[in-house]
């Protein structure tokens, strides 16, 4: 009986060893969000980082670590240019596993460009799982009444995420 169990144990250990580990994002990192279609001047960036937040509204409470995705999208046309949409959302997703949708807000500028287009920003910092490099970040128009999403305007995967440690940066004094 011991001989029968040994090959099964070997198979179980062997299958664990040969399974490739999914590469995780190195925090903090940033990625340029590129237009999905040709939209003049529209581009953006996403910052993926770890944050420590209290479990409750009490700022002195115990902390928990979460992953955060922040988006800055610039030269965005009015969302209604793409259909019946009234705002933009950021969408971070691990394809086939989970996605997080968060509202972007327009940035009020002191002086608008005569070319048009405005910046939109937002962040979501309640992600409790590690984010793999094959995760995607998108900006899409959305309808606040129906929650219907429009076409992808900006996008990129985190495979091209650029990591920079604090020791690599120039410290301003």
């Amino acid at each position: 009986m011991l001989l029968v169990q040994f090959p099964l144990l070997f198979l179980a250990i062997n299958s664990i060893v040969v399974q490739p580990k999914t590469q995780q994002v190195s925090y903090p990192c940033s990625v340029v969000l590129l237009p999905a279609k040709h939209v003049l001047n529209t581009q953006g960036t996403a910052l993926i980082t770890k944050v420590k937040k209290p479990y409750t509204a009490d700022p002195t409470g115990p902390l928990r670590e979460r992953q955060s995705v922040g988006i800055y999208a610039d030269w965005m046309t009015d969302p209604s240019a793409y259909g019946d949409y009234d705002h933009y959302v950021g969408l971070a997703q691990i394809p086939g596993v989970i996605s997080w949708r968060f509202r972007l807000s327009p940035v009020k500028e002191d002086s608008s460009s005569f070319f048009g287009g405005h910046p939109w920003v937002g962040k979501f910092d309640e992600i409790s799982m590690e984010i793999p490099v094959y995760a995607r970040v998108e900006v899409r128009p959305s309808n606040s009444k129906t929650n219907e999403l429009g076409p992808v305007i900006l996008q990129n995967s985190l495979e091209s995420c650029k990591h920079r440690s604090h020791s690599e940066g120039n410290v301003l004094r």
Side-chain angles (χ1 to χ4, degrees):
M1 182 146 181
L2 185 58
L3 293 173
V4 172
Q5 289 179 349
F6 181 75
L8 293 176
L9 178 62
F10 177 75
L11 284 173
I13 292 172
N14 190 30
S15 66
I16 292 170
V17 172
V18 295
Q19 288 180 347
K21 185 175 186 226
T22 302
Q23 186 179 357
Q24 304 298 318
V25 168
S26 295
Y27 302 96
C29 72
S30 61
V31 63
V32 173
L33 301 177
L34 302 170
K37 301 176 182 175
H38 179 70
V39 182
L40 188 62
N41 296 327
T42 300
Q43 289 192 17
T45 188
L47 172 66
I48 293 73
T49 191
K50 289 189 178 209
V51 294
K52 293 190 185 313
K53 300 175 60 173
Y55 278 101
T56 65
D58 178 11
T60 62
L63 299 177
R64 60 192 166 122
E65 188 173 78
R66 293 290 189 249
Q67 281 56 246
S68 174
V69 176
I71 292 177
Y72 173 82
D74 205 353
W75 296 94
M76 301 294 289
T77 60
D78 191 87
S80 63
Y82 300 102
D84 189 21
Y85 305 108
D86 56 5
H87 68 280
Y88 285 104
V89 295
L91 185 71
Q93 61 180 314
I94 301 171
V97 178
I98 192 169
S99 65
W100 300 274
R101 185 191 304 192
F102 52 99
R103 192 174 186 132
L104 301 181
S105 300
V107 174
K108 183 173 177 0
E109 298 177 289
D110 290 336
S111 60
S112 296
S113 166
F114 61 87
F115 272 134
H118 302 281
W120 288 68
V121 299
K123 68 178 182 173
F124 184 73
D125 55 10
E126 289 294 332
I127 301 172
S128 59
M129 63 191 306
E130 293 294 319
I131 301 174
V133 296
Y134 64 88
R136 299 196 53 77
V137 177
E138 300 174 350
V139 173
R140 302 172 80 165
S142 182
N143 182 304
S144 60
K145 292 183 179 123
T146 64
N147 281 330
E148 182 182 338
L149 286 177
V152 176
I153 306 303
L154 296 172
Q155 66 181 347
N156 210 338
S157 76
L158 299 185
E159 291 171 323
S160 62
C161 217
K162 302 296 183 212
H163 171 71
R164 185 166 185 170
S165 70
H166 295 289
S167 62
E168 293 177 74
N170 295 331
V171 178
L172 298 177
R173 296 176 203 260

